Amino acid sequence: MKLFTAAKTVRENAHAPYSNFKVGAALKTTDGTVFSGCNVENVAYPEGTCAEAGAIAAMVAAGQGGIAEILVMADSEVPITPCGGCRQKIAEFGTPDTLIILASPDAEVGRTTLGALLPGAFVPAHLDAGA
Ligand code: THU
């Protein structure tokens, strides 16, 4: 399934009664498998999770890793980009070249990369250097 269609479908299931801001995310792994997720809010606001986190959790639960591209979809005038925490989560399984596709429910509206959104990411090599 195409990333756009997967994100649009899963976004319908978002649980966003507090923000009323539904987000869908769909990623493609380096071997071509697609996983999707939606935001899941909670009455205890900080316990809510982002759509990207859901897609990444589904990927890991399926025993996979390695994000080649990820599409994030919301219905907003300004195209949304992954939040700071999600950029770091994507970095765990991506590279600076990982493609980030921004979309509204109607169309793809932009493209960027993880490296552009999260320059100087904290990566495992930093832990090695400290050992
Ligand atoms: N949200 C996401 O799911 N992904 C993002 O990249 C940005 C924000 C969600 C979190 C919250 O449920 C709602 O959007 C409003 O912030």
Side-chain angles (χ1 to χ4, degrees):
M1 195 192 297
K2 279 186 160 180
L3 291 186
F4 185 91
T5 308
K8 185 164 178 155
T9 301
V10 76
R11 181 174 170 273
E12 294 300 317
N13 293 334
H15 178 70
Y18 308 106
S19 71
N20 287 314
F21 191 75
K22 292 187 166 195
V23 183
L27 65 83
K28 189 181 289 182
T29 62
T30 47
D31 73 1
T33 313
V34 172
F35 294 97
S36 62
C38 55
N39 53 334
V40 182
E41 296 183 350
N42 191 281
V43 63
Y45 294 172
E47 299 305 324
T49 51
C50 285
E52 297 91 324
I56 290 169
M59 174 188 75
V60 172
Q64 295 205 41
I67 302 174
E69 51 190 277
I70 181 165
L71 182 149
V72 186
M73 178 186 291
D75 190 6
S76 63
E77 278 189 20
V78 179
I80 70 156
T81 52
C83 76
C86 285
R87 295 177 195 195
Q88 184 67 39
K89 289 181 176 74
I90 296 165
E92 183 73 16
F93 302 99
T95 71
D97 292 330
T98 294
L99 181 63
I100 314 271
I101 304 168
L102 318 176
S104 77
D106 297 325
E108 179 182 321
V109 291
R111 287 185 170 218
T112 184
T113 63
L114 182 63
L117 293 181
L118 189 64
F122 181 60
V123 293
H126 288 121
L127 295 181
D128 297 342

